[in-house]
């Protein structure tokens, strides 16, 4: 992964976001913006891992750090918008389950929208 967000909200960078990380493995995803199936997502995506598991709720600090990181990525990569943000479970459903049912996508999207206050 490019980034890890710990339970306390600390963001640790492992790989520069302009570099390839092997976070998704074999993967595919429907890009509604371009109406095409995308494969080999490691070639062009940024992987952010959240410390935790599929069933334990993530912390407020994690959501806030994730929203800040996402807004930074959106400013750095103009083609990135909320329609292009997804989880491992959506791009590699037979192999990955994260972020899992404990992840509150609606709350995360609200934070992104309000992130001028982050």
């Amino acid at each position: 992964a490019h980034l890890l967000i710990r339970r306390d909200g600390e963001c640790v960078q492992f790989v520069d976001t302009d570099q390839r990380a092997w976070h998704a493995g074999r993967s595919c995803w429907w890009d509604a913006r371009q109406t095409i199936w995308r494969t080999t997502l490691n070639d062009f995506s940024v992987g952010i891992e959240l410390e935790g598991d599929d069933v334990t709720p993530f912390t407020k600090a994690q959501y806030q750090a994730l929203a800040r990181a996402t807004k930074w990525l959106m400013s750095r990569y103009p083609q990135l918008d909320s329609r292009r943000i997804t989880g491992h479970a959506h791009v590699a459903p037979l192999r990955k389950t994260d972020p899992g049912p404990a992840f509150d996508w609606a709350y995360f999207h609200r934070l992104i929208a309000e992130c001028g206050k982050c």
Side-chain angles (χ1 to χ4, degrees), residues 69-113:
T70 301
K71 287 300 276 192
W72 178 82
L73 289 166
M74 292 170 94
S75 69
R76 184 170 177 153
Y77 304 103
Q79 289 189 323
L80 177 61
D81 63 30
S82 61
R83 295 173 294 176
R84 288 183 155 176
I85 298 170
T86 191
H88 279 135
H90 297 115
V91 302
L94 299 177
R95 296 182 307 102
K96 299 197 177 215
T97 59
D98 59 308
F103 187 78
D104 188 340
W105 283 99
Y107 177 60
F108 169 60
H109 282 286
R110 273 196 315 277
L111 284 178
I112 293 172

Side-chain angles (χ1 to χ4, degrees), residues 21-54:
W22 294 90
H23 56 93
R26 289 187 58 186
S27 51
C28 64
W29 172 73
W30 175 252
D31 186 346
R33 187 171 177 182
Q34 293 184 343
T35 61
I36 59 171
W37 277 101
R38 307 284 307 241
T39 60
T40 321
L41 302 182
N42 290 322
D43 290 346
F44 62 88
S45 63
V46 174
I48 303 174
E49 298 285 344
L50 297 172
E51 183 176 39
D53 57 50
D54 288 358

